[in-house]
Amino acid sequence: MQLTGLESNDLKLIIFGGKGGVGKTSCAIATALELSENFKTLLISTDPAHSVSDCLEQQIGFKVQKVAGSKNLSAIEVVADQALSGFKNEHQSELKKLLETSTNLDHQDIDEVMEMSLPGIDEVMSFKTISDFIEEGKYDKYIVDTAPTGHALRLISAHKLLDGWIKIGARMRWKYRYIIKTLSGSYQQDEVDN
């Protein structure tokens, strides 16, 4: 079956999914190489068992690397633990303040919560990484080589999980704002609200 429409300027994101061993990585790399002839392309692997480095015969890892022999192709292998660690480091003070102002947890409990790995966090961090790259807009095409079906389905639905977490956080802050405004007469937004 021939794939058509891949060179459309409107098509930015192409995701390869399926069960293990069906050739997702091979198809993703072949598509990325072909599209990189005319488009600045980023190949993103979200499979924890990365094989993009092996297929390209080049170490990729969790940092965007130019692919040898191609002027327009770069690649990255997402490492969810590192992505989560980076997110926590970047937003640690806001996350802690959210928990401090919205729960009855003490500092030790909050530190323990901050160290926890939440269910579905691998897929959420992969989804966030892909979204961040697309939002930056440095590439014309984003090709995603996913993990086998179960992980891929969770990746595709990660926005629902993320949306749920955001709604919970927003409700927690709304209650905090309400109490502060009721007791003091006003509320000043802070970095947690942002």
Side-chain angles (χ1 to χ4, degrees), residues 133-190:
F133 280 123
I134 293 172
E135 190 173 306
E136 285 175 11
K138 292 182 181 177
Y139 298 90
D140 302 314
K141 303 287 184 184
Y142 302 87
I143 312 301
V144 180
D145 173 37
T146 67
T149 305
H151 284 280
L153 291 175
R154 286 192 300 272
L155 171 68
I156 292 168
S157 64
H159 69 283
K160 294 176 186 174
L161 180 60
L162 188 56
D163 186 56
W165 290 348
I166 291 169
K167 286 178 181 173
I168 290 169
R171 273 197 312 269
M172 290 166 58
R173 282 305 278 184
W174 180 86
K175 291 174 184 178
Y176 171 73
R177 285 191 302 267
Y178 176 79
I179 291 170
I180 296 298
K181 189 172 182 180
T182 300
L183 296 175
S184 70
S186 67
Y187 177 79
Q188 199 69 12
Q189 283 196 340
D190 61 17

Short mmCIF file of all heavy atoms in Angstrom, two decimals, residues 133-190:
data_model
loop_
_atom_site.label_atom_id
_atom_site.label_comp_id
_atom_site.label_asym_id
_atom_site.label_seq_id
_atom_site.Cartn_x
_atom_site.Cartn_y
_atom_site.Cartn_z
N PHE A 133 8.09 20.00 21.04
CA PHE A 133 8.80 20.14 19.77
C PHE A 133 7.91 20.77 18.71
O PHE A 133 8.34 21.67 17.98
CB PHE A 133 9.31 18.78 19.26
CG PHE A 133 10.58 18.33 19.92
CD1 PHE A 133 10.63 17.11 20.57
CD2 PHE A 133 11.73 19.10 19.90
CE1 PHE A 133 11.79 16.68 21.19
CE2 PHE A 133 12.90 18.69 20.51
CZ PHE A 133 12.93 17.47 21.16
N ILE A 134 6.68 20.32 18.63
CA ILE A 134 5.76 20.88 17.63
C ILE A 134 5.49 22.35 17.91
O ILE A 134 5.48 23.18 17.00
CB ILE A 134 4.46 20.06 17.57
CG1 ILE A 134 4.76 18.65 17.01
CG2 ILE A 134 3.40 20.76 16.72
CD1 ILE A 134 3.60 17.69 17.08
N GLU A 135 5.32 22.69 19.20
CA GLU A 135 5.07 24.08 19.57
C GLU A 135 6.26 24.97 19.23
O GLU A 135 6.09 26.11 18.82
CB GLU A 135 4.76 24.16 21.07
CG GLU A 135 4.25 25.53 21.49
CD GLU A 135 3.78 25.54 22.94
OE1 GLU A 135 2.94 24.69 23.29
OE2 GLU A 135 4.27 26.40 23.69
N GLU A 136 7.49 24.46 19.38
CA GLU A 136 8.68 25.23 19.02
C GLU A 136 8.69 25.55 17.54
O GLU A 136 9.17 26.60 17.14
CB GLU A 136 9.95 24.45 19.38
CG GLU A 136 10.28 24.43 20.84
CD GLU A 136 11.48 23.55 21.15
OE1 GLU A 136 12.19 23.11 20.21
OE2 GLU A 136 11.72 23.29 22.33
N GLY A 137 8.17 24.61 16.73
CA GLY A 137 8.04 24.85 15.29
C GLY A 137 9.34 24.90 14.51
O GLY A 137 9.40 25.50 13.44
N LYS A 138 10.37 24.22 14.98
CA LYS A 138 11.66 24.24 14.28
C LYS A 138 11.72 23.29 13.09
O LYS A 138 12.65 23.34 12.30
CB LYS A 138 12.79 23.90 15.26
CG LYS A 138 13.03 24.95 16.32
CD LYS A 138 14.19 24.56 17.22
CE LYS A 138 14.43 25.59 18.30
NZ LYS A 138 15.51 25.18 19.21
N TYR A 139 10.74 22.39 12.99
CA TYR A 139 10.76 21.38 11.94
C TYR A 139 9.48 21.45 11.12
O TYR A 139 8.44 21.91 11.60
CB TYR A 139 10.92 19.97 12.55
CG TYR A 139 12.23 19.83 13.30
CD1 TYR A 139 12.31 20.14 14.66
CD2 TYR A 139 13.39 19.42 12.66
CE1 TYR A 139 13.50 20.04 15.35
CE2 TYR A 139 14.59 19.32 13.34
CZ TYR A 139 14.63 19.63 14.69
OH TYR A 139 15.82 19.54 15.37
N ASP A 140 9.57 20.94 9.90
CA ASP A 140 8.41 20.89 9.02
C ASP A 140 7.60 19.61 9.26
O ASP A 140 6.38 19.61 9.13
CB ASP A 140 8.85 20.91 7.54
CG ASP A 140 9.67 22.14 7.21
OD1 ASP A 140 9.27 23.25 7.61
OD2 ASP A 140 10.73 21.98 6.56
N LYS A 141 8.31 18.53 9.59
CA LYS A 141 7.68 17.22 9.78
C LYS A 141 8.20 16.57 11.06
O LYS A 141 9.39 16.65 11.37
CB LYS A 141 7.99 16.27 8.61
CG LYS A 141 7.58 16.77 7.24
CD LYS A 141 6.09 16.72 7.06
CE LYS A 141 5.70 17.13 5.63
NZ LYS A 141 4.29 17.17 5.43
N TYR A 142 7.28 15.93 11.78
CA TYR A 142 7.61 15.21 13.01
C TYR A 142 7.15 13.77 12.83
O TYR A 142 5.95 13.51 12.67
CB TYR A 142 6.90 15.84 14.22
CG TYR A 142 7.27 17.31 14.38
CD1 TYR A 142 6.55 18.30 13.71
CD2 TYR A 142 8.34 17.69 15.18
CE1 TYR A 142 6.91 19.64 13.84
CE2 TYR A 142 8.70 19.02 15.30
CZ TYR A 142 7.97 19.99 14.62
OH TYR A 142 8.33 21.31 14.75
N ILE A 143 8.10 12.84 12.83
CA ILE A 143 7.81 11.43 12.63
C ILE A 143 8.01 10.73 13.97
O ILE A 143 9.09 10.83 14.56
CB ILE A 143 8.76 10.80 11.58
CG1 ILE A 143 8.86 11.66 10.32
CG2 ILE A 143 8.33 9.37 11.27
CD1 ILE A 143 7.56 11.90 9.60
N VAL A 144 6.97 10.02 14.44
CA VAL A 144 7.05 9.36 15.75
C VAL A 144 7.07 7.85 15.57
O VAL A 144 6.17 7.27 14.96
CB VAL A 144 5.87 9.77 16.65
CG1 VAL A 144 5.97 9.07 18.01
CG2 VAL A 144 5.83 11.29 16.84
N ASP A 145 8.12 7.24 16.11
CA ASP A 145 8.24 5.79 16.18
C ASP A 145 7.82 5.39 17.58
O ASP A 145 8.52 5.68 18.55
CB ASP A 145 9.70 5.38 15.91
CG ASP A 145 9.94 3.90 16.13
OD1 ASP A 145 9.04 3.09 15.82
OD2 ASP A 145 11.03 3.56 16.63
N THR A 146 6.64 4.77 17.72
CA THR A 146 6.09 4.47 19.04
C THR A 146 6.52 3.09 19.53
O THR A 146 7.03 2.28 18.77
CB THR A 146 4.55 4.50 19.01
OG1 THR A 146 4.07 3.42 18.22
CG2 THR A 146 4.02 5.82 18.50
N ALA A 147 6.25 2.89 20.80
CA ALA A 147 6.41 1.56 21.40
C ALA A 147 5.29 0.67 20.85
O ALA A 147 4.36 1.16 20.22
CB ALA A 147 6.31 1.68 22.92
N PRO A 148 5.35 -0.64 21.12
CA PRO A 148 4.26 -1.52 20.67
C PRO A 148 2.89 -1.03 21.15
O PRO A 148 2.77 -0.21 22.06
CB PRO A 148 4.63 -2.87 21.27
CG PRO A 148 6.12 -2.83 21.32
CD PRO A 148 6.46 -1.40 21.69
N THR A 149 1.86 -1.57 20.56
CA THR A 149 0.48 -1.09 20.63
C THR A 149 0.02 -0.55 21.98
O THR A 149 -0.52 0.54 22.05
CB THR A 149 -0.48 -2.19 20.15
OG1 THR A 149 -0.07 -2.61 18.85
CG2 THR A 149 -1.90 -1.70 20.09
N GLY A 150 0.20 -1.30 23.06
CA GLY A 150 -0.30 -0.85 24.36
C GLY A 150 0.25 0.50 24.76
O GLY A 150 -0.49 1.40 25.15
N HIS A 151 1.58 0.67 24.63
CA HIS A 151 2.20 1.95 24.95
C HIS A 151 1.72 3.03 23.99
O HIS A 151 1.47 4.16 24.39
CB HIS A 151 3.73 1.85 24.88
CG HIS A 151 4.35 1.16 26.03
ND1 HIS A 151 4.58 1.78 27.23
CD2 HIS A 151 4.80 -0.11 26.16
CE1 HIS A 151 5.16 0.93 28.06
NE2 HIS A 151 5.30 -0.23 27.45
N ALA A 152 1.63 2.68 22.72
CA ALA A 152 1.22 3.66 21.71
C ALA A 152 -0.19 4.16 21.97
O ALA A 152 -0.48 5.35 21.85
CB ALA A 152 1.33 3.05 20.31
N LEU A 153 -1.10 3.25 22.33
CA LEU A 153 -2.47 3.67 22.62
C LEU A 153 -2.51 4.58 23.84
O LEU A 153 -3.26 5.57 23.86
CB LEU A 153 -3.37 2.44 22.83
CG LEU A 153 -3.64 1.61 21.57
CD1 LEU A 153 -4.43 0.36 21.92
CD2 LEU A 153 -4.36 2.43 20.51
N ARG A 154 -1.69 4.27 24.85
CA ARG A 154 -1.64 5.15 26.02
C ARG A 154 -1.02 6.50 25.66
O ARG A 154 -1.43 7.53 26.17
CB ARG A 154 -0.87 4.48 27.17
CG ARG A 154 -1.68 3.36 27.83
CD ARG A 154 -1.07 2.87 29.12
NE ARG A 154 0.26 2.34 28.98
CZ ARG A 154 0.56 1.07 28.70
NH1 ARG A 154 -0.40 0.19 28.50
NH2 ARG A 154 1.81 0.68 28.61
N LEU A 155 -0.03 6.50 24.77
CA LEU A 155 0.58 7.75 24.31
C LEU A 155 -0.46 8.62 23.63
O LEU A 155 -0.60 9.81 23.92
CB LEU A 155 1.75 7.47 23.36
CG LEU A 155 2.32 8.70 22.64
CD1 LEU A 155 3.02 9.63 23.63
CD2 LEU A 155 3.28 8.28 21.55
N ILE A 156 -1.21 8.02 22.73
CA ILE A 156 -2.21 8.77 21.97
C ILE A 156 -3.31 9.31 22.88
O ILE A 156 -3.87 10.38 22.63
CB ILE A 156 -2.78 7.91 20.82
CG1 ILE A 156 -1.68 7.66 19.79
CG2 ILE A 156 -3.99 8.56 20.17
CD1 ILE A 156 -2.01 6.61 18.76
N SER A 157 -3.61 8.60 23.96
CA SER A 157 -4.66 9.07 24.87
C SER A 157 -4.09 9.82 26.08
O SER A 157 -4.83 10.18 26.99
CB SER A 157 -5.53 7.90 25.33
OG SER A 157 -4.77 6.99 26.09
N ALA A 158 -2.79 10.08 26.09
CA ALA A 158 -2.15 10.74 27.23
C ALA A 158 -2.73 12.13 27.49
O ALA A 158 -2.77 12.57 28.64
CB ALA A 158 -0.64 10.85 27.02
N HIS A 159 -3.20 12.79 26.45
CA HIS A 159 -3.75 14.13 26.65
C HIS A 159 -4.96 14.09 27.59
O HIS A 159 -5.20 15.03 28.34
CB HIS A 159 -4.12 14.77 25.31
CG HIS A 159 -5.28 14.12 24.63
ND1 HIS A 159 -5.17 12.92 23.95
CD2 HIS A 159 -6.56 14.49 24.55
CE1 HIS A 159 -6.36 12.59 23.47
NE2 HIS A 159 -7.23 13.52 23.82
N LYS A 160 -5.71 12.99 27.58
CA LYS A 160 -6.87 12.87 28.48
C LYS A 160 -6.41 12.77 29.93
O LYS A 160 -6.99 13.40 30.81
CB LYS A 160 -7.70 11.64 28.10
CG LYS A 160 -8.37 11.74 26.75
CD LYS A 160 -9.11 10.47 26.41
CE LYS A 160 -9.66 10.53 25.00
NZ LYS A 160 -10.24 9.26 24.59
N LEU A 161 -5.37 11.99 30.18
CA LEU A 161 -4.82 11.86 31.52
C LEU A 161 -4.26 13.20 31.99
O LEU A 161 -4.54 13.66 33.10
CB LEU A 161 -3.73 10.79 31.55
CG LEU A 161 -3.04 10.51 32.88
CD1 LEU A 161 -4.04 10.06 33.93
CD2 LEU A 161 -1.96 9.46 32.69
N LEU A 162 -3.52 13.85 31.11
CA LEU A 162 -2.94 15.15 31.43
C LEU A 162 -4.03 16.17 31.71
O LEU A 162 -3.94 16.96 32.66
CB LEU A 162 -2.05 15.61 30.28
CG LEU A 162 -1.20 16.84 30.50
CD1 LEU A 162 -0.31 16.70 31.71
CD2 LEU A 162 -0.37 17.11 29.26
N ASP A 163 -5.08 16.15 30.90
CA ASP A 163 -6.20 17.07 31.10
C ASP A 163 -6.84 16.83 32.47
O ASP A 163 -7.19 17.79 33.17
CB ASP A 163 -7.24 16.87 29.98
CG ASP A 163 -8.36 17.88 30.04
OD1 ASP A 163 -8.07 19.09 30.02
OD2 ASP A 163 -9.54 17.46 30.10
N GLY A 164 -6.97 15.58 32.87
CA GLY A 164 -7.53 15.26 34.18
C GLY A 164 -6.67 15.81 35.31
O GLY A 164 -7.19 16.38 36.27
N TRP A 165 -5.35 15.65 35.20
CA TRP A 165 -4.44 16.18 36.22
C TRP A 165 -4.55 17.70 36.29
O TRP A 165 -4.55 18.28 37.38
CB TRP A 165 -3.01 15.78 35.93
CG TRP A 165 -2.71 14.33 36.11
CD1 TRP A 165 -3.49 13.37 36.71
CD2 TRP A 165 -1.55 13.65 35.67
NE1 TRP A 165 -2.88 12.16 36.66
CE2 TRP A 165 -1.68 12.29 36.03
CE3 TRP A 165 -0.41 14.03 35.00
CZ2 TRP A 165 -0.71 11.35 35.76
CZ3 TRP A 165 0.56 13.10 34.71
CH2 TRP A 165 0.41 11.76 35.10
N ILE A 166 -4.62 18.34 35.14
CA ILE A 166 -4.71 19.80 35.11
C ILE A 166 -6.01 20.27 35.77
O ILE A 166 -6.02 21.23 36.53
CB ILE A 166 -4.60 20.32 33.66
CG1 ILE A 166 -3.16 20.10 33.16
CG2 ILE A 166 -4.98 21.79 33.57
CD1 ILE A 166 -2.97 20.32 31.68
N LYS A 167 -7.10 19.57 35.49
CA LYS A 167 -8.38 19.94 36.11
C LYS A 167 -8.33 19.80 37.62
O LYS A 167 -8.86 20.63 38.35
CB LYS A 167 -9.52 19.11 35.51
CG LYS A 167 -9.89 19.54 34.11
CD LYS A 167 -10.97 18.66 33.52
CE LYS A 167 -11.31 19.12 32.10
NZ LYS A 167 -12.22 18.23 31.44
N ILE A 168 -7.70 18.74 38.11
CA ILE A 168 -7.57 18.55 39.56
C ILE A 168 -6.74 19.68 40.16
O ILE A 168 -7.10 20.29 41.17
CB ILE A 168 -6.96 17.17 39.90
CG1 ILE A 168 -7.97 16.06 39.58
CG2 ILE A 168 -6.52 17.10 41.36
CD1 ILE A 168 -7.38 14.66 39.62
N GLY A 169 -5.61 19.99 39.53
CA GLY A 169 -4.76 21.08 40.01
C GLY A 169 -5.49 22.40 40.00
O GLY A 169 -5.39 23.20 40.94
N ALA A 170 -6.27 22.65 38.95
CA ALA A 170 -7.03 23.91 38.86
C ALA A 170 -8.09 24.00 39.96
O ALA A 170 -8.28 25.06 40.56
CB ALA A 170 -7.67 24.02 37.48
N ARG A 171 -8.76 22.88 40.23
CA ARG A 171 -9.76 22.87 41.32
C ARG A 171 -9.10 23.14 42.66
O ARG A 171 -9.64 23.87 43.50
CB ARG A 171 -10.51 21.54 41.35
CG ARG A 171 -11.72 21.49 40.44
CD ARG A 171 -12.66 20.33 40.79
NE ARG A 171 -12.03 19.04 40.98
CZ ARG A 171 -11.84 18.14 40.02
NH1 ARG A 171 -12.25 18.40 38.79
NH2 ARG A 171 -11.27 16.99 40.28
N MET A 172 -7.94 22.52 42.87
CA MET A 172 -7.22 22.74 44.12
C MET A 172 -6.87 24.21 44.28
O MET A 172 -7.06 24.80 45.35
CB MET A 172 -5.95 21.87 44.15
CG MET A 172 -6.24 20.38 44.29
SD MET A 172 -4.83 19.29 43.94
CE MET A 172 -3.59 19.81 45.09
N ARG A 173 -6.38 24.83 43.23
CA ARG A 173 -6.02 26.26 43.28
C ARG A 173 -7.26 27.14 43.43
O ARG A 173 -7.22 28.16 44.11
CB ARG A 173 -5.24 26.67 42.03
CG ARG A 173 -3.81 26.27 42.06
CD ARG A 173 -3.08 26.75 43.28
NE ARG A 173 -2.66 28.12 43.13
CZ ARG A 173 -1.94 28.78 44.00
NH1 ARG A 173 -1.53 28.20 45.10
NH2 ARG A 173 -1.60 30.02 43.81
N TRP A 174 -8.36 26.77 42.79
CA TRP A 174 -9.59 27.56 42.90
C TRP A 174 -10.02 27.61 44.36
O TRP A 174 -10.39 28.67 44.87
CB TRP A 174 -10.70 26.96 42.03
CG TRP A 174 -11.96 27.76 42.13
CD1 TRP A 174 -12.29 28.86 41.40
CD2 TRP A 174 -13.03 27.54 43.05
NE1 TRP A 174 -13.51 29.34 41.79
CE2 TRP A 174 -14.00 28.55 42.81
CE3 TRP A 174 -13.29 26.60 44.04
CZ2 TRP A 174 -15.18 28.64 43.53
CZ3 TRP A 174 -14.47 26.70 44.76
CH2 TRP A 174 -15.40 27.70 44.49
N LYS A 175 -9.98 26.47 45.04
CA LYS A 175 -10.37 26.44 46.45
C LYS A 175 -9.43 27.31 47.29
O LYS A 175 -9.88 28.04 48.18
CB LYS A 175 -10.38 24.99 46.97
CG LYS A 175 -11.49 24.15 46.38
CD LYS A 175 -11.38 22.71 46.79
CE LYS A 175 -12.46 21.87 46.11
NZ LYS A 175 -12.35 20.45 46.44
N TYR A 176 -8.14 27.23 47.03
CA TYR A 176 -7.16 28.05 47.74
C TYR A 176 -7.44 29.54 47.49
O TYR A 176 -7.47 30.34 48.44
CB TYR A 176 -5.75 27.68 47.28
CG TYR A 176 -4.67 28.60 47.79
CD1 TYR A 176 -4.27 28.57 49.12
CD2 TYR A 176 -4.04 29.49 46.93
CE1 TYR A 176 -3.27 29.40 49.59
CE2 TYR A 176 -3.04 30.33 47.40
CZ TYR A 176 -2.66 30.28 48.73
OH TYR A 176 -1.68 31.12 49.18
N ARG A 177 -7.63 29.92 46.22
CA ARG A 177 -7.92 31.32 45.90
C ARG A 177 -9.18 31.80 46.61
O ARG A 177 -9.25 32.92 47.11
CB ARG A 177 -8.07 31.50 44.38
CG ARG A 177 -6.76 31.47 43.64
CD ARG A 177 -6.92 31.91 42.19
NE ARG A 177 -7.86 31.10 41.43
CZ ARG A 177 -7.54 30.06 40.69
NH1 ARG A 177 -6.29 29.67 40.60
NH2 ARG A 177 -8.46 29.40 40.03
N TYR A 178 -10.20 30.93 46.62
CA TYR A 178 -11.47 31.29 47.25
C TYR A 178 -11.27 31.59 48.74
O TYR A 178 -11.77 32.59 49.26
CB TYR A 178 -12.48 30.15 47.07
CG TYR A 178 -13.80 30.40 47.78
CD1 TYR A 178 -14.75 31.26 47.22
CD2 TYR A 178 -14.07 29.80 49.01
CE1 TYR A 178 -15.95 31.50 47.88
CE2 TYR A 178 -15.26 30.04 49.66
CZ TYR A 178 -16.21 30.89 49.10
OH TYR A 178 -17.39 31.14 49.75
N ILE A 179 -10.52 30.73 49.43
CA ILE A 179 -10.28 30.93 50.86
C ILE A 179 -9.49 32.21 51.09
O ILE A 179 -9.85 33.03 51.95
CB ILE A 179 -9.55 29.71 51.47
CG1 ILE A 179 -10.49 28.50 51.50
CG2 ILE A 179 -9.01 30.02 52.86
CD1 ILE A 179 -9.81 27.20 51.84
N ILE A 180 -8.42 32.43 50.32
CA ILE A 180 -7.60 33.63 50.49
C ILE A 180 -8.43 34.88 50.22
O ILE A 180 -8.39 35.84 50.99
CB ILE A 180 -6.35 33.59 49.57
CG1 ILE A 180 -5.44 32.43 49.95
CG2 ILE A 180 -5.62 34.92 49.58
CD1 ILE A 180 -4.87 32.50 51.35
N LYS A 181 -9.21 34.87 49.15
CA LYS A 181 -10.02 36.04 48.81
C LYS A 181 -11.08 36.30 49.88
O LYS A 181 -11.36 37.43 50.25
CB LYS A 181 -10.67 35.87 47.44
CG LYS A 181 -11.34 37.12 46.93
CD LYS A 181 -11.78 36.97 45.50
CE LYS A 181 -12.41 38.28 45.04
NZ LYS A 181 -12.85 38.21 43.68
N THR A 182 -11.69 35.22 50.38
CA THR A 182 -12.72 35.36 51.42
C THR A 182 -12.13 35.94 52.70
O THR A 182 -12.72 36.82 53.33
CB THR A 182 -13.37 33.99 51.71
OG1 THR A 182 -13.97 33.50 50.51
CG2 THR A 182 -14.44 34.11 52.79
N LEU A 183 -10.95 35.48 53.08
CA LEU A 183 -10.35 35.92 54.33
C LEU A 183 -9.66 37.29 54.23
O LEU A 183 -9.67 38.06 55.18
CB LEU A 183 -9.36 34.88 54.86
CG LEU A 183 -9.96 33.52 55.24
CD1 LEU A 183 -8.86 32.54 55.63
CD2 LEU A 183 -10.96 33.68 56.37
N SER A 184 -9.06 37.57 53.09
CA SER A 184 -8.30 38.82 52.98
C SER A 184 -8.98 39.87 52.12
O SER A 184 -8.57 41.02 52.11
CB SER A 184 -6.91 38.53 52.42
OG SER A 184 -7.01 38.16 51.05
N GLY A 185 -10.00 39.48 51.37
CA GLY A 185 -10.70 40.44 50.51
C GLY A 185 -10.14 40.55 49.10
O GLY A 185 -10.75 41.14 48.23
N SER A 186 -8.94 40.00 48.86
CA SER A 186 -8.37 40.03 47.51
C SER A 186 -7.42 38.84 47.32
O SER A 186 -7.02 38.20 48.30
CB SER A 186 -7.61 41.34 47.28
OG SER A 186 -6.47 41.40 48.11
N TYR A 187 -7.09 38.61 46.09
CA TYR A 187 -6.16 37.52 45.77
C TYR A 187 -5.23 37.99 44.67
O TYR A 187 -5.67 38.56 43.67
CB TYR A 187 -6.90 36.26 45.33
CG TYR A 187 -5.97 35.14 44.93
CD1 TYR A 187 -5.35 34.37 45.89
CD2 TYR A 187 -5.69 34.90 43.60
CE1 TYR A 187 -4.46 33.37 45.53
CE2 TYR A 187 -4.80 33.89 43.22
CZ TYR A 187 -4.19 33.13 44.20
OH TYR A 187 -3.30 32.14 43.85
N GLN A 188 -3.94 37.80 44.84
CA GLN A 188 -2.95 38.16 43.85
C GLN A 188 -2.44 36.88 43.18
O GLN A 188 -1.96 35.97 43.88
CB GLN A 188 -1.80 38.89 44.57
CG GLN A 188 -0.92 39.70 43.69
CD GLN A 188 -1.61 40.92 43.12
OE1 GLN A 188 -2.69 41.32 43.54
NE2 GLN A 188 -1.00 41.51 42.13
N GLN A 189 -2.54 36.79 41.85
CA GLN A 189 -2.06 35.60 41.16
C GLN A 189 -0.56 35.45 41.37
O GLN A 189 0.16 36.43 41.49
CB GLN A 189 -2.37 35.69 39.67
CG GLN A 189 -3.81 35.39 39.35
CD GLN A 189 -4.02 35.10 37.87
OE1 GLN A 189 -3.20 35.46 37.03
NE2 GLN A 189 -5.10 34.43 37.55
N ASP A 190 -0.09 34.18 41.36
CA ASP A 190 1.33 33.91 41.51
C ASP A 190 1.78 32.91 40.45
O ASP A 190 1.04 32.56 39.54
CB ASP A 190 1.62 33.41 42.93
CG ASP A 190 0.90 32.11 43.28
OD1 ASP A 190 0.43 31.41 42.36
OD2 ASP A 190 0.82 31.79 44.48
#
